[in-house]
Amino acid sequence: LVNGRMIETDLVFACDGIKSAIRSSLFAASAGEPEYTGVTCLMGASDVPRPAGYCYPTSSDSRFHACYYPTGEEEQIFQIFYVAPENKESWRALTADEGRLECCAVADRMKVDGWAEDFIQPLLEPKSVLRTGIHARPPIPVWHSGRVVLLGDAAHPLVSYIGQGAMMAVEDVGILVALLKAFCVTGGEGEGEGEGGAGGNFMLANVEKAFQLYERIRLPRTMRMARNSIELGNMLLLRATWPVTSEEALRDDQRLREDIAQHGNLSLIQEATAYDYARDVRRALRGSRGGGSKLASDAHV
């Protein structure tokens, strides 16, 4: 540990984020390092009501793009993304006064550039404001070594454009718990022993099977979510920096309109939120017993 203490344990669940030291230690040759993408985000909450759904306004005049979404009947989140040089000292939670001053400056610029009042008002009443650099880290094909396994951003960090980083980690935990119960708890179902329960003995010898199946389920889905997030971010950045009359910007705008008209939201958001991880666990366990069932998460890879 950082303080020099040594702890011996049977299993290690590495949930130490995008800068994961455990990932670097396990896979030094392929782990890669987090790299700044060139985009900084000013984000916060506001007690201003907002209709349901995500909203992604952009402006080539302001040269930034944004995301707004409700977190309750009387609250919403705002995120303002803009190209900026790397400045680690500025990436932090802002004080109430700092947040108010910076958000008001952005709001003033938005007024001059003709943004709708719905997008300006939340910035005039901000709370819990922070500024952060958007980082990316290369994907890796294996998430475990021995009895150490990666979860969440330590395994598959997403650039924050579809808001699913935390959800991917929750899915990891749900799937890994279900597989460990199935393969490692006496009475589990991984090898046809029946239903796993909370009262059985834990068999470390079967951990490798659980970890391998965890990777098989999770790798295709998390890689697809990572691609979706990068593609959305690139498109929004393009819309914010190119003239709105450019052919590519107009084509992207039409694509967004059609997508939202058909699905009521961006289809990639629907794909992210409609996933049933328990279904994939059931299919994977049937396949591990020789059924060869295809996982839903194997699709579109």
Side-chain angles (χ1 to χ4, degrees):
L1 301 179
V2 174
N3 61 8
R5 291 180 59 206
M6 298 288 291
I7 297 176
E8 184 175 335
T9 181
D10 291 328
L11 292 174
V12 174
F13 300 97
C15 314
D16 50 341
I18 189 173
K19 298 179 181 179
S20 174
I22 297 176
R23 167 174 162 156
S24 297
S25 176
L26 290 179
F27 309 109
S30 60
E33 291 298 327
E35 295 184 358
Y36 178 51
T37 62
V39 176
T40 291
C41 179
L42 179 72
M43 66 178 74
S46 180
D47 292 328
V48 175
R50 176 154 203 90
Y54 288 80
C55 184
Y56 294 96
T58 63
S59 169
S60 57
D61 291 328
S62 305
R63 298 188 71 79
F64 57 69
H65 58 94
C67 177
Y68 295 78
Y69 56 92
T71 51
E73 292 183 0
E74 302 295 329
E75 184 186 71
Q76 63 176 288
I77 298 296
F78 60 84
Q79 299 172 327
I80 311 296
F81 299 89
Y82 55 93
V83 176
E86 186 171 11
N87 186 356
K88 296 179 181 179
E89 290 73 19
S90 72
W91 298 336
R92 57 183 175 83
L94 306 184
T95 66
D97 287 342
E98 288 173 335
R100 189 160 45 250
L101 285 172
E102 185 151 347
C103 287
C104 285
V106 174
D108 288 343
R109 181 176 174 182
M110 294 169 78
K111 289 178 183 178
V112 172
D113 292 342
W115 284 64
E117 187 63 28
D118 285 352
F119 301 133
I120 298 173
Q121 190 59 38
L123 290 159
L124 300 177
E125 305 177 41
K127 61 181 184 179
S128 303
V129 180
L130 63 90
R131 190 192 306 108
T132 184
I134 306 301
H135 287 73
R137 194 171 190 180
I140 52 176
V142 178
W143 296 348
H144 82 282
S145 178
R147 295 178 184 172
V148 182
V149 63
L150 306 178
L151 296 88
D153 280 353
H156 47 74
L158 272 64
V159 290
S160 54
Y161 291 115
I162 60 174
Q164 293 301 308
M167 184 58 68
M168 292 297 104
V170 171
E171 292 175 8
D172 287 350
V173 172
I175 287 175
L176 194 51
V177 167
L179 293 175
L180 288 171
K181 286 178 64 177
F183 284 105
C184 302
V185 177
T186 303
E189 61 176 314
E191 296 298 312
E193 295 97 334
E195 291 296 327
N201 295 319
F202 194 88
M203 299 179 293
L204 286 170
N206 287 345
V207 163
E208 178 72 14
K209 295 179 182 178
F211 287 174
Q212 288 178 347
L213 199 51
Y214 161 69
E215 289 174 355
R216 184 193 164 198
I217 296 172
R218 297 302 292 152
L219 275 164
R221 174 163 169 79
T222 56
M223 290 178 66
R224 191 165 64 255
M225 291 300 104
R227 287 196 300 267
N228 287 348
S229 190
I230 290 171
E231 288 173 3
L232 178 62
N234 288 342
M235 181 176 66
L236 294 174
L237 182 61
L238 183 68
R239 284 161 51 87
T241 54
W242 282 31
V244 293
T245 55
S246 71
E247 182 177 342
E248 190 161 359
L250 291 172
R251 185 169 61 248
D252 284 342
D253 190 68
Q254 182 62 26
R255 172 184 159 195
L256 284 174
R257 291 175 183 273
E258 292 175 354
D259 198 19
I260 292 173
Q262 180 177 353
H263 300 99
N265 202 335
L266 293 176
S267 56
L268 58 86
I269 298 293
Q270 297 284 79
E271 180 185 1
T273 58
Y275 177 65
D276 180 357
Y277 76 79
R279 177 188 58 193
D280 262 2
V281 170
R282 290 192 295 270
R283 289 177 175 176
L285 289 174
R286 287 199 298 270
S288 73
R289 294 197 297 267
S293 300
K294 184 179 179 64
L295 301 181
S297 58
D298 285 338
H300 312 302
V301 176

